[in-house]
Amino acid sequence: IKEGTRIPPDSQTGLINSIAWRGDLMVLGDSTGHLSFWDLKARQSRLIPTSRGAIKKILLAPGRNTQLLLVMFNDGVEIWDCAESEVLSSIKSSKIGEVVDVDWGASDRPVIVNESGAVHIMDVNLDTAPNPITALSLYTPVWLPFIYNQKEMMNFKIYVQHMGWQENWDMKSPKCCTPIIWDAMLHTLKLRHKFSTLSFLERCLVTAALYGDVVEWRLWQVLAYYLDQSSPLSSAFDIVQDNRSYLNNQVQNLSVQEKCRSNYSHRQHSIHRHILLGNTDKPVQLLLEVEQDSPHFYRDCLRASLISSVSDSEYTVDSDTTYLRSRISSTPLLPLERVAQSTIKLVATNLIANDHLLEGCQLLCLIKKAVDACRYMQNFHQYNEAIWLAKVALSKDEYYEVMKYYIDLLVNKGSRHLGILLAISLSAFDKAAEILLATKLVTIAAPLVESCLEAGKWPESGTDIMHRVFVEYAKYLVSLNNIEIALKYCEMGGEKGKQLGEELRICAQ
């Protein structure tokens, strides 16, 4: 690595927005609309004003002998000849629409994309271009849903999800969709799946994958698991997993971490995790490994003695692992002296009050007070630690209370997606639908409710939220001019839904 050619910048040069470089030629475009042409071999530069405002992007045409430069402005596009430093052709946004991106398809074929989704492949003079891709008659239909009209794209998605709503559906283009777009999108689905044989939730999964919607795909994955418990969620879902799978993953992770530990802090982390998991034998073993000349020798020996004196000798063996796990919150306490328990709890409280939260929570877990430890962690905003402990140590009812508090916190702080997934993991489907409706994600809320109804898992207490979701979804379908399916959801939306349905029928007449 060595210093290359240095050319002093011109005093009129503004903030550089884009740079193009090939061989000895470097071109810079700035925020004031100047193009600076640098000849690195001759160590010379030329500053040319474009008088078009800020330059957003510049690109040199491909090829060794080409000197063409594509320049993108806020109000259009120009092609420059770098050898002569002059404009060859120009086009404004008023003619082709607002330009969102440019590129070279070949050395003489600039490509321009406008805000409507049209792709223009032009010549060097910028005066010829094909029609937008939505107007082409393609020999082989392509699956590119986001280049089509948004309403038609959403209508197609809705029709595929609700394929079972109408008997003997011939899959012909409905009134709300253009036939050529409908045929192009349906072609891909015919090659991939027989949608009519899939359940409603399975169709939602497939459409989310086809449209590249990762957020929806994860949500339908989680919902599918908690509705039928078919295939376990991967470890990538982390705290959204069921407690048993989460515990097994954490035990495996802890085993890997122990093999890699190399210092005192790593050992303390392992001790902390084992105590929270309810395994007291391993922490005692790790504490007694301390060397005699260590400054922590005396304290660790005392901690090992304390853990041994209050630990429960009864463990249950997990069928999926060889890990010994104590049911911290459900097994009866050992017959410890009441004074000893009170003293340990008092010490734990004092430690927590004096910024020793983890140490205090360890003591609480040792005397079967994991619920109190979770509350302290939440009060001190250690939510990740609180959820970790809740999933591996608490009973079902105690776990639900901790998680409901955490879900409300996530929603209030804007992390609604994780809150929705956690609500589904608690089988609180009405809560998940309520959050989706509050965030105006009715296109997800309605399929969620219908999937739960199809599986027979929708709670009886959620009738009101179900009606509200279906009414709002029907209004959304009306905005897409999809009256047929909107009427179906009006019938499922209670009294308000039926009123809306009557209004739609009157308008249709």
Side-chain angles (χ1 to χ4, degrees), residues 8 100 118 144 161 265 275 339 407 415:
V100 296
L144 295 171
Q161 287 179 342
S265 63
I275 292 175
V339 175
I407 290 170
S415 301

Side-chain angles (χ1 to χ4, degrees), residues 455-469:
K457 297 292 184 68
W458 184 257
E460 295 181 0
S461 59
T463 303
D464 180 62
I465 187 66
M466 177 184 70
H467 289 165
R468 286 165 52 199
V469 167

